[in-house]
Amino acid sequence: MPLARTALYAQGENLHVAVWPGAKRITEDITRFAAKEGRSFFVSVSGLMRKSDYPENTPHLNVLLENNDELIADGGSCVAHPDGSWVLEPQCGEEGLYEVDLNINDVFAERQNFDPTGHYSRPDVLKMTINKDRQHTL
């Protein structure tokens, strides 16, 4: 969702928290990429899902689970630095509470190198309009 990310960057996002389905294969690339692209800290929060987490009355449960390992979703919670390096590498296979220290000055330092919505964004050539009106489903 490049345009959605750009809209967040343009609003001055310094910390992005994403909740993903729990899988390292989802978090390990996009977390680092988005942190580096936006020059902000990026936190991915992911859960674990085991076969035993499904209710027994789930329709077609045996078909849904027959080709899966016991651990269907392995987690992958992680934190990336604004330069794209790991602050906390993807945590997989076990539940946990993770704590990291972040320095906001790291965001500002990285934006000195590249600011995706600063002058590099070429506002003389490109324009994005964001509809901030509350939407209704009537």
Side-chain angles (χ1 to χ4, degrees), residues 60 107 113-114:
H60 310 290
V107 172
N113 296 326
F114 174 72

Side-chain angles (χ1 to χ4, degrees), residues 26-135:
I26 295 172
T27 63
E28 71 180 336
D29 291 331
I30 190 68
T31 302
R32 291 178 66 205
F33 169 80
K36 189 166 189 164
E37 178 185 61
R39 297 306 202 257
S40 62
F41 287 102
F42 201 102
V43 178
S44 289
V45 180
S46 302
L48 298 176
M49 182 180 287
R50 297 173 184 85
K51 283 183 174 182
S52 59
D53 292 331
Y54 283 87
E56 289 183 20
N57 62 348
T58 301
H60 310 290
L61 181 62
N62 58 339
V63 175
L64 291 171
L65 301 180
E66 69 184 343
N67 293 317
N68 285 302
D69 296 326
E70 176 56 32
L71 190 60
I72 296 169
D74 67 353
S77 294
C78 52
V79 180
H81 186 274
D83 68 4
S85 64
W86 288 124
V87 176
L88 176 70
E89 292 187 23
Q91 303 297 301
C92 301
E94 61 184 66
E95 295 179 22
L97 177 63
Y98 307 103
E99 182 179 324
V100 297
D101 290 321
L102 306 177
N103 184 342
I104 188 70
N105 290 323
D106 292 350
V107 172
F108 304 138
E110 282 302 314
R111 289 199 185 138
Q112 291 295 313
N113 296 326
F114 174 72
D115 184 351
T117 57
H119 75 280
Y120 290 119
S121 67
R122 294 296 309 268
D124 57 322
V125 177
L126 304 169
K127 179 179 180 181
M128 180 171 67
T129 304
I130 301 170
N131 180 357
K132 293 183 180 179
D133 295 337
R134 184 176 188 105
Q135 303 298 305

